Amino acid sequence: MNHHQFFDRLWHDYVDITPQAEAIQQLFVERGEQLINDHVAFRTLADSPVELKRLQPLLEQLGYRAYGQYRFESKKLHARAYMHEQDETAPKIFLSELEIDKLSDKVQAILHTYIAQIPRDAASSPDIFWRGRLWAMPTHEAYRALRDESEYAAWLSVLGLRANHFTVSVNHLETLPNLKAVNHLLKEKGYALNDVGGEIKGSPKLLLEQSSTLADRIAVTFAEGETHRVPSCFYEFALRYEESPGKLFQGFIEGNADKIFESTHSH
């Protein structure tokens, strides 16, 4: 599998539970835009068969290399960014993991019951990135207990390992010059935006601006048979600025990303 096939499979899995992304993409295409993905993000669990260090070799097989590390103390996350070594147009990858040992004993116990169900060799092929949940569906009670402490943990418990967002590169848009214009169009069409810390996170001074929709909501039937609507995935938009003449900043800003994570919170 090459990285083009990888992202094609990922996109199909993503839009299955994120219909807004396909509709927004079509909205842009109808304006004559050719969309370039800035980055794709994944969530996973530390100290598990699908922890970051076990997934990294699969990304390396696809031609990626790690180039940045990030910490989110309040959300108890560690993350790493990856860039394709030869294809400059390939999306960057942002892979974060939940530091389970920093959570309460109650939440750790719930998560360890899921981890125990993951095959030890789960991270043996790139298709792990769209396999989704690798454990039995949680109870709604367990989901609520996770959500009370970590929305990230609750999201993972139901949706598992898959792309939680794709990101449109605003730098490559022809008819929408900045994030303000993008956000105006989205709101005009009825899409709700993540306004935590403002609709636009970051600034030209930080060399990166980002905005995102709020996650779609999907109906999920929990282990005890109850059906509830929960956040699935969202669509992001990023505008990068030059860090030197002709060279766009390629990193991420922890303060921005911390707020972007909240696109999947239960609002």
Side-chain angles (χ1 to χ4, degrees), residues 138-192:
T139 63
H140 190 241
E141 181 185 14
Y143 174 82
R144 286 200 317 268
L146 294 175
R147 191 182 62 196
D148 288 346
E149 189 169 330
S150 168
E151 294 258 8
Y152 184 108
W155 187 94
L156 264 175
S157 74
V158 170
L159 291 163
L161 187 49
R162 53 169 25 107
N164 75 83
H165 68 269
F166 274 68
T167 307
V168 172
S169 169
V170 178
N171 295 81
H172 290 87
L173 298 180
E174 299 285 340
T175 67
L176 297 159
N178 53 43
L179 274 178
K180 193 172 179 181
V182 169
N183 290 350
H184 177 76
L185 175 65
L186 294 172
K187 288 190 290 185
E188 195 175 67
K189 298 298 182 180
Y191 293 101

Side-chain angles (χ1 to χ4, degrees), residues 1-2 13 41 43 69 93 108 118 122 124 127 134 141 143 168 176 180 187 203 217 238 248:
M1 179 186 298
N2 62 37
D13 175 74
R43 301 174 176 185
Q69 295 203 62
I93 291 174
Q108 284 191 50
I118 305 174
S124 58
D127 67 7
L134 300 165
E141 181 185 14
Y143 174 82
V168 172
L176 297 159
K180 193 172 179 181
K187 288 190 290 185
S203 66
R217 297 180 75 84
L248 292 178

Side-chain angles (χ1 to χ4, degrees), residues 43-48 50-51 97-98 100 111 115 135 156:
R43 301 174 176 185
T44 194
L45 298 166
D47 304 315
S48 80
V50 288
E51 62 190 345
E97 65 179 6
L98 182 62
I100 299 170
L111 293 175
I115 289 170
W135 46 82
L156 264 175

Side-chain angles (χ1 to χ4, degrees), residues 39-233:
H39 69 273
V40 176
F42 300 93
R43 301 174 176 185
T44 194
L45 298 166
D47 304 315
S48 80
V50 288
E51 62 190 345
L52 192 152
K53 69 182 180 185
R54 296 195 191 203
L55 294 174
Q56 180 167 313
L58 299 176
L59 299 180
E60 290 168 347
Q61 285 174 28
L62 294 169
Y64 278 79
R65 61 173 174 81
Y67 71 98
Q69 295 203 62
Y70 306 90
R71 296 204 78 80
F72 304 92
E73 297 295 341
S74 66
K75 291 182 171 62
K76 313 207 170 33
L77 305 175
H78 166 241
R80 191 168 285 173
Y82 301 85
M83 186 184 292
H84 200 275
E85 291 200 270
Q86 289 161 339
D87 184 354
E88 288 184 4
T89 66
K92 290 169 281 294
I93 291 174
F94 191 83
L95 177 55
S96 60
E97 65 179 6
L98 182 62
E99 298 172 317
I100 299 170
D101 60 353
K102 294 184 178 177
L103 300 167
S104 69
D105 290 346
K106 178 182 179 180
V107 165
Q108 284 191 50
I110 294 171
L111 293 175
H112 282 304
T113 64
Y114 306 150
I115 289 170
Q117 299 172 55
I118 305 174
R120 300 309 299 172
D121 63 348
S124 58
S125 162
D127 67 7
I128 189 64
F129 285 98
W130 54 83
R131 287 272 300 282
R133 190 166 31 81
L134 300 165
W135 46 82
M137 178 62 80
T139 63
H140 190 241
E141 181 185 14
Y143 174 82
R144 286 200 317 268
L146 294 175
R147 191 182 62 196
D148 288 346
E149 189 169 330
S150 168
E151 294 258 8
Y152 184 108
W155 187 94
L156 264 175
S157 74
V158 170
L159 291 163
L161 187 49
R162 53 169 25 107
N164 75 83
H165 68 269
F166 274 68
T167 307
V168 172
S169 169
V170 178
N171 295 81
H172 290 87
L173 298 180
E174 299 285 340
T175 67
L176 297 159
N178 53 43
L179 274 178
K180 193 172 179 181
V182 169
N183 290 350
H184 177 76
L185 175 65
L186 294 172
K187 288 190 290 185
E188 195 175 67
K189 298 298 182 180
Y191 293 101
L193 301 182
N194 171 351
D195 61 4
V196 178
E199 288 179 356
I200 296 176
K201 294 92 169 79
S203 66
K205 185 178 178 182
L206 290 172
L207 305 181
L208 176 62
E209 291 181 326
Q210 295 162 273
S211 66
S212 63
T213 62
L214 290 180
D216 268 321
R217 297 180 75 84
I218 57 170
V220 168
T221 301
F222 288 88
E224 62 269 68
E226 295 180 18
T227 299
H228 296 273
R229 294 183 72 78
V230 302
S232 61
C233 306

